[in-house]
Amino acid sequence: MCDEIQKSFPLSPKVINALCAVDREKFVPAGFAQHLAYDIKALPMVESQYISSPLTVAQMTEYLAPNGGDSVLEIGCGSGYQAMVLSHLFRRVFSIERIEKLLSQARERFQLLQSHNIFTKFDDGQKGWAEYAPFDAILFSACAKTIPQAIINQLQDGGVIVAPMLESNKQIVKRFRKHNGMLDEGESLGECLFVDVQDGVTR
């Protein structure tokens, strides 16, 4: 899988090591585990959600964190796969999920894999996690129309936000940097396909 990704999207050594350290089979629904776990494609989960393709996770990770850092906030835990990859690059990963069933399953996976540096919260991710701010980096694992001010406030000055953004009816991955308390206009990194950011929580 990692070799296939490298053919499509070259990765820095730290990111490829983090990706290869995580067994994707542990994060896909049981019915897919044997024959599709290592395909470079997204797979459906409960609540009309998807586990992102390994290629997408690799790209988002490379855009965000080739050098790692102390703490990262993820908006949208989903299966937990992206958070687990980030856990090999950051000292602490804070991941928020608005769908309780998904979060419960992700927590079980983290416990099974004995991950001790991933912290999760059931909430609307657009609020962020102010208690542990500021974060060195913030990653959206869902497509946003705007970056909420609460999220901007929780980013360390000089930090990076990577987010799929809706622009002209297309989803574009954008990378923003924070300077003097404000985000720049961001750089476009390519088209993508994510579920949309939703308000509130689902129990």
Side-chain angles (χ1 to χ4, degrees), residues 164-194:
M165 303 293 295
L166 187 63
E167 295 186 347
S168 301
N169 295 318
K170 291 183 179 180
Q171 290 189 12
I172 307 292
V173 178
K174 300 197 71 173
R175 180 167 54 201
F176 304 90
R177 298 184 186 277
K178 184 176 177 180
H179 302 286
N180 300 318
M182 300 181 64
L183 286 189
D184 62 16
E185 293 183 358
E187 56 182 316
S188 297
L189 302 171
E191 292 189 26
C192 60
L193 185 59
F194 283 81

PDB file of all heavy atoms in Angstrom, residues 164-194:
ATOM      1  N   PRO A 164     -10.233  20.709   3.786  1.00  0.00           N
ATOM      2  CA  PRO A 164     -10.992  20.717   2.531  1.00  0.00           C
ATOM      3  C   PRO A 164     -11.998  21.863   2.592  1.00  0.00           C
ATOM      4  O   PRO A 164     -12.739  21.979   3.564  1.00  0.00           O
ATOM      5  CB  PRO A 164     -11.701  19.359   2.529  1.00  0.00           C
ATOM      6  CG  PRO A 164     -11.069  18.559   3.629  1.00  0.00           C
ATOM      7  CD  PRO A 164     -10.562  19.543   4.622  1.00  0.00           C
ATOM      8  N   MET A 165     -12.028  22.699   1.561  1.00  0.00           N
ATOM      9  CA  MET A 165     -12.910  23.859   1.540  1.00  0.00           C
ATOM     10  C   MET A 165     -13.785  23.815   0.298  1.00  0.00           C
ATOM     11  O   MET A 165     -13.330  23.402  -0.780  1.00  0.00           O
ATOM     12  CB  MET A 165     -12.095  25.150   1.535  1.00  0.00           C
ATOM     13  CG  MET A 165     -11.127  25.311   2.704  1.00  0.00           C
ATOM     14  SD  MET A 165     -11.936  25.504   4.305  1.00  0.00           S
ATOM     15  CE  MET A 165     -12.789  27.071   4.073  1.00  0.00           C
ATOM     16  N   LEU A 166     -15.026  24.252   0.445  1.00  0.00           N
ATOM     17  CA  LEU A 166     -15.943  24.314  -0.686  1.00  0.00           C
ATOM     18  C   LEU A 166     -15.764  25.647  -1.394  1.00  0.00           C
ATOM     19  O   LEU A 166     -15.996  26.711  -0.820  1.00  0.00           O
ATOM     20  CB  LEU A 166     -17.381  24.156  -0.208  1.00  0.00           C
ATOM     21  CG  LEU A 166     -18.444  24.025  -1.310  1.00  0.00           C
ATOM     22  CD1 LEU A 166     -18.211  22.765  -2.138  1.00  0.00           C
ATOM     23  CD2 LEU A 166     -19.842  24.008  -0.686  1.00  0.00           C
ATOM     24  N   GLU A 167     -15.339  25.586  -2.653  1.00  0.00           N
ATOM     25  CA  GLU A 167     -15.131  26.792  -3.448  1.00  0.00           C
ATOM     26  C   GLU A 167     -15.688  26.566  -4.852  1.00  0.00           C
ATOM     27  O   GLU A 167     -15.259  25.643  -5.542  1.00  0.00           O
ATOM     28  CB  GLU A 167     -13.640  27.150  -3.531  1.00  0.00           C
ATOM     29  CG  GLU A 167     -13.020  27.541  -2.190  1.00  0.00           C
ATOM     30  CD  GLU A 167     -11.598  28.029  -2.334  1.00  0.00           C
ATOM     31  OE1 GLU A 167     -11.005  27.840  -3.425  1.00  0.00           O
ATOM     32  OE2 GLU A 167     -11.055  28.597  -1.365  1.00  0.00           O
ATOM     33  N   SER A 168     -16.625  27.399  -5.260  1.00  0.00           N
ATOM     34  CA  SER A 168     -17.240  27.290  -6.594  1.00  0.00           C
ATOM     35  C   SER A 168     -17.740  25.881  -6.875  1.00  0.00           C
ATOM     36  O   SER A 168     -17.485  25.310  -7.939  1.00  0.00           O
ATOM     37  CB  SER A 168     -16.231  27.727  -7.669  1.00  0.00           C
ATOM     38  OG  SER A 168     -15.816  29.062  -7.446  1.00  0.00           O
ATOM     39  N   ASN A 169     -18.434  25.311  -5.872  1.00  0.00           N
ATOM     40  CA  ASN A 169     -19.017  23.974  -5.981  1.00  0.00           C
ATOM     41  C   ASN A 169     -17.993  22.866  -6.136  1.00  0.00           C
ATOM     42  O   ASN A 169     -18.322  21.756  -6.556  1.00  0.00           O
ATOM     43  CB  ASN A 169     -20.017  23.918  -7.146  1.00  0.00           C
ATOM     44  CG  ASN A 169     -21.216  24.815  -6.919  1.00  0.00           C
ATOM     45  OD1 ASN A 169     -21.752  24.878  -5.814  1.00  0.00           O
ATOM     46  ND2 ASN A 169     -21.639  25.520  -7.960  1.00  0.00           N
ATOM     47  N   LYS A 170     -16.738  23.142  -5.797  1.00  0.00           N
ATOM     48  CA  LYS A 170     -15.696  22.127  -5.782  1.00  0.00           C
ATOM     49  C   LYS A 170     -15.061  22.077  -4.398  1.00  0.00           C
ATOM     50  O   LYS A 170     -14.994  23.087  -3.699  1.00  0.00           O
ATOM     51  CB  LYS A 170     -14.603  22.433  -6.815  1.00  0.00           C
ATOM     52  CG  LYS A 170     -15.038  22.292  -8.259  1.00  0.00           C
ATOM     53  CD  LYS A 170     -13.859  22.539  -9.179  1.00  0.00           C
ATOM     54  CE  LYS A 170     -14.247  22.390 -10.647  1.00  0.00           C
ATOM     55  NZ  LYS A 170     -13.087  22.630 -11.551  1.00  0.00           N
ATOM     56  N   GLN A 171     -14.598  20.894  -4.015  1.00  0.00           N
ATOM     57  CA  GLN A 171     -13.849  20.762  -2.776  1.00  0.00           C
ATOM     58  C   GLN A 171     -12.359  20.893  -3.087  1.00  0.00           C
ATOM     59  O   GLN A 171     -11.830  20.155  -3.921  1.00  0.00           O
ATOM     60  CB  GLN A 171     -14.133  19.415  -2.108  1.00  0.00           C
ATOM     61  CG  GLN A 171     -15.532  19.287  -1.543  1.00  0.00           C
ATOM     62  CD  GLN A 171     -15.690  18.034  -0.706  1.00  0.00           C
ATOM     63  OE1 GLN A 171     -14.734  17.364  -0.356  1.00  0.00           O
ATOM     64  NE2 GLN A 171     -16.939  17.710  -0.377  1.00  0.00           N
ATOM     65  N   ILE A 172     -11.719  21.807  -2.398  1.00  0.00           N
ATOM     66  CA  ILE A 172     -10.290  22.071  -2.600  1.00  0.00           C
ATOM     67  C   ILE A 172      -9.576  21.967  -1.256  1.00  0.00           C
ATOM     68  O   ILE A 172     -10.005  22.583  -0.275  1.00  0.00           O
ATOM     69  CB  ILE A 172     -10.047  23.480  -3.181  1.00  0.00           C
ATOM     70  CG1 ILE A 172     -10.872  23.705  -4.456  1.00  0.00           C
ATOM     71  CG2 ILE A 172      -8.566  23.714  -3.426  1.00  0.00           C
ATOM     72  CD1 ILE A 172     -10.447  22.865  -5.629  1.00  0.00           C
ATOM     73  N   VAL A 173      -8.507  21.199  -1.199  1.00  0.00           N
ATOM     74  CA  VAL A 173      -7.692  21.187   0.014  1.00  0.00           C
ATOM     75  C   VAL A 173      -6.894  22.489   0.066  1.00  0.00           C
ATOM     76  O   VAL A 173      -6.198  22.836  -0.889  1.00  0.00           O
ATOM     77  CB  VAL A 173      -6.717  19.990   0.033  1.00  0.00           C
ATOM     78  CG1 VAL A 173      -5.851  20.052   1.301  1.00  0.00           C
ATOM     79  CG2 VAL A 173      -7.474  18.680  -0.013  1.00  0.00           C
ATOM     80  N   LYS A 174      -7.006  23.192   1.193  1.00  0.00           N
ATOM     81  CA  LYS A 174      -6.272  24.440   1.362  1.00  0.00           C
ATOM     82  C   LYS A 174      -5.434  24.386   2.636  1.00  0.00           C
ATOM     83  O   LYS A 174      -5.812  23.736   3.613  1.00  0.00           O
ATOM     84  CB  LYS A 174      -7.224  25.636   1.402  1.00  0.00           C
ATOM     85  CG  LYS A 174      -8.064  25.787   0.142  1.00  0.00           C
ATOM     86  CD  LYS A 174      -8.677  27.169   0.019  1.00  0.00           C
ATOM     87  CE  LYS A 174      -7.647  28.222  -0.307  1.00  0.00           C
ATOM     88  NZ  LYS A 174      -8.260  29.543  -0.600  1.00  0.00           N
ATOM     89  N   ARG A 175      -4.300  25.062   2.575  1.00  0.00           N
ATOM     90  CA  ARG A 175      -3.415  25.158   3.745  1.00  0.00           C
ATOM     91  C   ARG A 175      -3.282  26.616   4.137  1.00  0.00           C
ATOM     92  O   ARG A 175      -2.878  27.456   3.325  1.00  0.00           O
ATOM     93  CB  ARG A 175      -2.046  24.558   3.448  1.00  0.00           C
ATOM     94  CG  ARG A 175      -1.068  24.636   4.632  1.00  0.00           C
ATOM     95  CD  ARG A 175       0.138  23.761   4.401  1.00  0.00           C
ATOM     96  NE  ARG A 175       0.791  24.053   3.135  1.00  0.00           N
ATOM     97  CZ  ARG A 175       1.602  23.205   2.490  1.00  0.00           C
ATOM     98  NH1 ARG A 175       1.845  22.012   3.012  1.00  0.00           N
ATOM     99  NH2 ARG A 175       2.156  23.548   1.349  1.00  0.00           N
ATOM    100  N   PHE A 176      -3.654  26.901   5.377  1.00  0.00           N
ATOM    101  CA  PHE A 176      -3.610  28.262   5.914  1.00  0.00           C
ATOM    102  C   PHE A 176      -2.523  28.354   6.978  1.00  0.00           C
ATOM    103  O   PHE A 176      -2.278  27.400   7.715  1.00  0.00           O
ATOM    104  CB  PHE A 176      -4.954  28.632   6.564  1.00  0.00           C
ATOM    105  CG  PHE A 176      -6.147  28.497   5.670  1.00  0.00           C
ATOM    106  CD1 PHE A 176      -6.849  27.301   5.607  1.00  0.00           C
ATOM    107  CD2 PHE A 176      -6.575  29.564   4.887  1.00  0.00           C
ATOM    108  CE1 PHE A 176      -7.967  27.172   4.786  1.00  0.00           C
ATOM    109  CE2 PHE A 176      -7.690  29.452   4.070  1.00  0.00           C
ATOM    110  CZ  PHE A 176      -8.388  28.255   4.017  1.00  0.00           C
ATOM    111  N   ARG A 177      -1.929  29.524   7.078  1.00  0.00           N
ATOM    112  CA  ARG A 177      -0.965  29.789   8.153  1.00  0.00           C
ATOM    113  C   ARG A 177      -1.442  31.005   8.939  1.00  0.00           C
ATOM    114  O   ARG A 177      -2.030  31.928   8.378  1.00  0.00           O
ATOM    115  CB  ARG A 177       0.433  30.018   7.585  1.00  0.00           C
ATOM    116  CG  ARG A 177       0.973  28.797   6.840  1.00  0.00           C
ATOM    117  CD  ARG A 177       2.408  28.985   6.351  1.00  0.00           C
ATOM    118  NE  ARG A 177       2.841  27.872   5.530  1.00  0.00           N
ATOM    119  CZ  ARG A 177       3.319  26.723   5.997  1.00  0.00           C
ATOM    120  NH1 ARG A 177       3.449  26.577   7.311  1.00  0.00           N
ATOM    121  NH2 ARG A 177       3.681  25.751   5.186  1.00  0.00           N
ATOM    122  N   LYS A 178      -1.170  30.973  10.223  1.00  0.00           N
ATOM    123  CA  LYS A 178      -1.608  32.053  11.107  1.00  0.00           C
ATOM    124  C   LYS A 178      -0.440  32.979  11.426  1.00  0.00           C
ATOM    125  O   LYS A 178       0.620  32.537  11.869  1.00  0.00           O
ATOM    126  CB  LYS A 178      -2.182  31.474  12.403  1.00  0.00           C
ATOM    127  CG  LYS A 178      -2.764  32.509  13.348  1.00  0.00           C
ATOM    128  CD  LYS A 178      -3.400  31.839  14.560  1.00  0.00           C
ATOM    129  CE  LYS A 178      -3.935  32.841  15.565  1.00  0.00           C
ATOM    130  NZ  LYS A 178      -4.558  32.184  16.740  1.00  0.00           N
ATOM    131  N   HIS A 179      -0.650  34.266  11.154  1.00  0.00           N
ATOM    132  CA  HIS A 179       0.372  35.270  11.436  1.00  0.00           C
ATOM    133  C   HIS A 179      -0.290  36.445  12.154  1.00  0.00           C
ATOM    134  O   HIS A 179      -1.317  36.964  11.695  1.00  0.00           O
ATOM    135  CB  HIS A 179       1.027  35.769  10.146  1.00  0.00           C
ATOM    136  CG  HIS A 179       1.669  34.691   9.339  1.00  0.00           C
ATOM    137  ND1 HIS A 179       2.847  34.084   9.695  1.00  0.00           N
ATOM    138  CD2 HIS A 179       1.282  34.089   8.177  1.00  0.00           C
ATOM    139  CE1 HIS A 179       3.169  33.173   8.790  1.00  0.00           C
ATOM    140  NE2 HIS A 179       2.220  33.148   7.857  1.00  0.00           N
ATOM    141  N   ASN A 180       0.299  36.838  13.272  1.00  0.00           N
ATOM    142  CA  ASN A 180      -0.223  37.983  14.036  1.00  0.00           C
ATOM    143  C   ASN A 180      -1.713  37.851  14.335  1.00  0.00           C
ATOM    144  O   ASN A 180      -2.489  38.803  14.210  1.00  0.00           O
ATOM    145  CB  ASN A 180       0.056  39.290  13.292  1.00  0.00           C
ATOM    146  CG  ASN A 180       1.535  39.524  13.082  1.00  0.00           C
ATOM    147  OD1 ASN A 180       2.342  39.292  13.985  1.00  0.00           O
ATOM    148  ND2 ASN A 180       1.902  39.977  11.884  1.00  0.00           N
ATOM    149  N   GLY A 181      -2.112  36.635  14.676  1.00  0.00           N
ATOM    150  CA  GLY A 181      -3.487  36.396  15.079  1.00  0.00           C
ATOM    151  C   GLY A 181      -4.488  36.192  13.960  1.00  0.00           C
ATOM    152  O   GLY A 181      -5.672  35.990  14.227  1.00  0.00           O
ATOM    153  N   MET A 182      -4.032  36.225  12.697  1.00  0.00           N
ATOM    154  CA  MET A 182      -4.955  36.094  11.568  1.00  0.00           C
ATOM    155  C   MET A 182      -4.477  35.030  10.583  1.00  0.00           C
ATOM    156  O   MET A 182      -3.263  34.820  10.424  1.00  0.00           O
ATOM    157  CB  MET A 182      -5.088  37.438  10.845  1.00  0.00           C
ATOM    158  CG  MET A 182      -5.622  38.564  11.720  1.00  0.00           C
ATOM    159  SD  MET A 182      -5.788  40.122  10.805  1.00  0.00           S
ATOM    160  CE  MET A 182      -7.033  39.663   9.596  1.00  0.00           C
ATOM    161  N   LEU A 183      -5.435  34.372   9.932  1.00  0.00           N
ATOM    162  CA  LEU A 183      -5.089  33.413   8.878  1.00  0.00           C
ATOM    163  C   LEU A 183      -4.783  34.138   7.580  1.00  0.00           C
ATOM    164  O   LEU A 183      -5.422  35.150   7.257  1.00  0.00           O
ATOM    165  CB  LEU A 183      -6.236  32.440   8.624  1.00  0.00           C
ATOM    166  CG  LEU A 183      -6.517  31.347   9.645  1.00  0.00           C
ATOM    167  CD1 LEU A 183      -7.546  30.378   9.076  1.00  0.00           C
ATOM    168  CD2 LEU A 183      -5.272  30.612  10.072  1.00  0.00           C
ATOM    169  N   ASP A 184      -3.826  33.619   6.827  1.00  0.00           N
ATOM    170  CA  ASP A 184      -3.606  34.147   5.481  1.00  0.00           C
ATOM    171  C   ASP A 184      -4.696  33.620   4.550  1.00  0.00           C
ATOM    172  O   ASP A 184      -5.618  32.919   4.982  1.00  0.00           O
ATOM    173  CB  ASP A 184      -2.208  33.793   4.977  1.00  0.00           C
ATOM    174  CG  ASP A 184      -1.957  32.284   4.859  1.00  0.00           C
ATOM    175  OD1 ASP A 184      -2.942  31.504   4.878  1.00  0.00           O
ATOM    176  OD2 ASP A 184      -0.796  31.876   4.747  1.00  0.00           O
ATOM    177  N   GLU A 185      -4.630  33.961   3.282  1.00  0.00           N
ATOM    178  CA  GLU A 185      -5.666  33.553   2.330  1.00  0.00           C
ATOM    179  C   GLU A 185      -5.612  32.069   2.002  1.00  0.00           C
ATOM    180  O   GLU A 185      -6.564  31.517   1.459  1.00  0.00           O
ATOM    181  CB  GLU A 185      -5.529  34.378   1.045  1.00  0.00           C
ATOM    182  CG  GLU A 185      -5.836  35.857   1.241  1.00  0.00           C
ATOM    183  CD  GLU A 185      -5.766  36.627  -0.053  1.00  0.00           C
ATOM    184  OE1 GLU A 185      -5.443  36.007  -1.104  1.00  0.00           O
ATOM    185  OE2 GLU A 185      -6.034  37.840  -0.045  1.00  0.00           O
ATOM    186  N   GLY A 186      -4.515  31.440   2.318  1.00  0.00           N
ATOM    187  CA  GLY A 186      -4.386  30.008   2.099  1.00  0.00           C
ATOM    188  C   GLY A 186      -3.901  29.661   0.707  1.00  0.00           C
ATOM    189  O   GLY A 186      -4.102  30.421  -0.238  1.00  0.00           O
ATOM    190  N   GLU A 187      -3.271  28.518   0.593  1.00  0.00           N
ATOM    191  CA  GLU A 187      -2.817  28.020  -0.708  1.00  0.00           C
ATOM    192  C   GLU A 187      -3.628  26.792  -1.083  1.00  0.00           C
ATOM    193  O   GLU A 187      -3.947  25.955  -0.242  1.00  0.00           O
ATOM    194  CB  GLU A 187      -1.328  27.676  -0.670  1.00  0.00           C
ATOM    195  CG  GLU A 187      -0.929  26.690   0.411  1.00  0.00           C
ATOM    196  CD  GLU A 187       0.559  26.428   0.441  1.00  0.00           C
ATOM    197  OE1 GLU A 187       1.151  26.240  -0.643  1.00  0.00           O
ATOM    198  OE2 GLU A 187       1.130  26.403   1.551  1.00  0.00           O
ATOM    199  N   SER A 188      -3.998  26.700  -2.354  1.00  0.00           N
ATOM    200  CA  SER A 188      -4.776  25.569  -2.835  1.00  0.00           C
ATOM    201  C   SER A 188      -3.843  24.429  -3.205  1.00  0.00           C
ATOM    202  O   SER A 188      -2.853  24.624  -3.911  1.00  0.00           O
ATOM    203  CB  SER A 188      -5.607  25.985  -4.061  1.00  0.00           C
ATOM    204  OG  SER A 188      -6.538  26.997  -3.702  1.00  0.00           O
ATOM    205  N   LEU A 189      -4.186  23.213  -2.734  1.00  0.00           N
ATOM    206  CA  LEU A 189      -3.297  22.075  -2.901  1.00  0.00           C
ATOM    207  C   LEU A 189      -3.886  20.969  -3.772  1.00  0.00           C
ATOM    208  O   LEU A 189      -3.239  19.958  -3.988  1.00  0.00           O
ATOM    209  CB  LEU A 189      -2.930  21.507  -1.525  1.00  0.00           C
ATOM    210  CG  LEU A 189      -2.254  22.514  -0.587  1.00  0.00           C
ATOM    211  CD1 LEU A 189      -2.137  21.944   0.820  1.00  0.00           C
ATOM    212  CD2 LEU A 189      -0.882  22.900  -1.112  1.00  0.00           C
ATOM    213  N   GLY A 190      -5.109  21.151  -4.241  1.00  0.00           N
ATOM    214  CA  GLY A 190      -5.700  20.152  -5.123  1.00  0.00           C
ATOM    215  C   GLY A 190      -7.129  19.815  -4.742  1.00  0.00           C
ATOM    216  O   GLY A 190      -7.580  20.092  -3.635  1.00  0.00           O
ATOM    217  N   GLU A 191      -7.847  19.237  -5.684  1.00  0.00           N
ATOM    218  CA  GLU A 191      -9.237  18.856  -5.445  1.00  0.00           C
ATOM    219  C   GLU A 191      -9.308  17.618  -4.553  1.00  0.00           C
ATOM    220  O   GLU A 191      -8.359  16.825  -4.473  1.00  0.00           O
ATOM    221  CB  GLU A 191      -9.959  18.588  -6.766  1.00  0.00           C
ATOM    222  CG  GLU A 191     -10.145  19.846  -7.614  1.00  0.00           C
ATOM    223  CD  GLU A 191     -11.049  19.605  -8.820  1.00  0.00           C
ATOM    224  OE1 GLU A 191     -11.892  18.685  -8.757  1.00  0.00           O
ATOM    225  OE2 GLU A 191     -10.916  20.347  -9.806  1.00  0.00           O
ATOM    226  N   CYS A 192     -10.454  17.453  -3.887  1.00  0.00           N
ATOM    227  CA  CYS A 192     -10.622  16.342  -2.955  1.00  0.00           C
ATOM    228  C   CYS A 192     -12.100  15.986  -2.860  1.00  0.00           C
ATOM    229  O   CYS A 192     -12.950  16.633  -3.481  1.00  0.00           O
ATOM    230  CB  CYS A 192     -10.064  16.711  -1.582  1.00  0.00           C
ATOM    231  SG  CYS A 192     -10.876  18.160  -0.839  1.00  0.00           S
ATOM    232  N   LEU A 193     -12.408  14.973  -2.051  1.00  0.00           N
ATOM    233  CA  LEU A 193     -13.799  14.587  -1.837  1.00  0.00           C
ATOM    234  C   LEU A 193     -13.949  14.105  -0.401  1.00  0.00           C
ATOM    235  O   LEU A 193     -13.452  13.039  -0.032  1.00  0.00           O
ATOM    236  CB  LEU A 193     -14.222  13.483  -2.811  1.00  0.00           C
ATOM    237  CG  LEU A 193     -15.698  13.071  -2.760  1.00  0.00           C
ATOM    238  CD1 LEU A 193     -16.597  14.262  -3.052  1.00  0.00           C
ATOM    239  CD2 LEU A 193     -15.974  11.931  -3.719  1.00  0.00           C
ATOM    240  N   PHE A 194     -14.610  14.907   0.424  1.00  0.00           N
ATOM    241  CA  PHE A 194     -14.858  14.594   1.825  1.00  0.00           C
ATOM    242  C   PHE A 194     -16.346  14.779   2.124  1.00  0.00           C
ATOM    243  O   PHE A 194     -17.048  15.490   1.405  1.00  0.00           O
ATOM    244  CB  PHE A 194     -14.073  15.547   2.746  1.00  0.00           C
ATOM    245  CG  PHE A 194     -12.598  15.233   2.862  1.00  0.00           C
ATOM    246  CD1 PHE A 194     -11.706  15.644   1.875  1.00  0.00           C
ATOM    247  CD2 PHE A 194     -12.107  14.553   3.966  1.00  0.00           C
ATOM    248  CE1 PHE A 194     -10.353  15.372   1.983  1.00  0.00           C
ATOM    249  CE2 PHE A 194     -10.753  14.277   4.084  1.00  0.00           C
ATOM    250  CZ  PHE A 194      -9.869  14.691   3.092  1.00  0.00           C
TER     251      PHE A 194
END
